[in-house]
Amino acid sequence: MLRSDEEDASELKIGDDFLKAKCLMNSEVAILLEHRCDQMKHMSGDSTTQLPQVLEKSLQYVKRFSRFTNQGSVKQVREVLSRYQLAEFELAVIGNLCPENVEEAKSVVPSLKTKGRGHDDEAIERLLNDLLMIKKFE
């Protein structure tokens, strides 16, 4: 049984640190890491410069799991999802996983079910359709 002060992501009880934290989608991390790799290669003056392995592996990972690759699309996804007043971690999860339907969205982000947040099934469906349109035209 949960005490009332325990954290519970399904009810957005995730602690002040997480509520205030800026969460990034894998697609955003990929853009940042690519930029950092380019900077490091440019600063070395040698395009064949070996990058730190952790940087290369991290970049490979986020690229593999990124749903959006175009920088404009990534920006558009954040803007669209921000309109729905999602918590940062909700935005990141939905942007990373791109659920295909309302039930799947509620399953991966249980806090969407919380009453009084304005996330009824129709709003979630609109959000998912907005993401689908961005993906189609990427």
Side-chain angles (χ1 to χ4, degrees):
M1 178 176 224
L2 287 175
R3 293 188 336 239
S4 62
D5 62 337
E6 284 189 45
E7 294 178 357
D8 182 359
S10 68
E11 296 180 12
L12 278 181
K13 293 180 183 176
I14 57 175
D16 289 340
D17 291 341
F18 288 108
L19 279 175
K20 296 174 185 170
K22 178 78 168 182
C23 297
L24 298 176
M25 296 177 292
N26 291 335
S27 303
E28 293 170 313
V29 175
I31 290 168
L32 293 172
L33 290 179
E34 283 179 333
H35 180 69
R36 182 66 181 141
C37 289
D38 291 345
Q39 278 182 326
M40 291 175 78
K41 287 178 180 178
H42 180 73
M43 287 172 43
S44 73
D46 182 5
S47 63
T48 61
T49 297
Q50 192 69 19
L51 298 170
Q53 187 176 13
V54 70
L55 185 60
E56 286 183 1
K57 294 284 184 185
S58 298
L59 181 57
Q60 287 172 4
Y61 175 87
V62 292
K63 279 184 159 184
R64 180 175 180 197
F65 293 104
S66 291
R67 300 289 184 164
F68 303 92
T69 54
N70 174 308
Q71 190 169 352
S73 295
V74 173
K75 183 179 179 185
Q76 195 175 10
V77 167
R78 179 160 287 276
E79 288 171 358
V80 164
L81 292 177
S82 294
R83 288 186 214 139
Y84 290 91
Q85 290 140 11
L86 300 169
E88 280 290 320
F89 87 94
E90 292 172 320
L91 186 150
V93 170
I94 291 173
N96 283 338
L97 299 178
C98 294
E100 293 184 9
N101 57 53
V102 172
E103 287 308 311
E104 190 175 327
K106 288 179 178 180
S107 176
V108 296
V109 185
S111 54
L112 291 176
K113 298 178 209 173
T114 304
K115 294 188 191 271
R117 290 194 58 219
H119 297 125
D120 60 13
D121 287 358
E122 288 179 16
I124 297 168
E125 187 69 41
R126 282 192 306 274
L127 177 151
L128 298 176
N129 285 336
D130 289 347
L131 283 183
L132 184 60
M133 292 307 288
I134 295 169
K135 188 68 180 159
K136 277 185 181 177
F137 293 105
E138 185 178 40

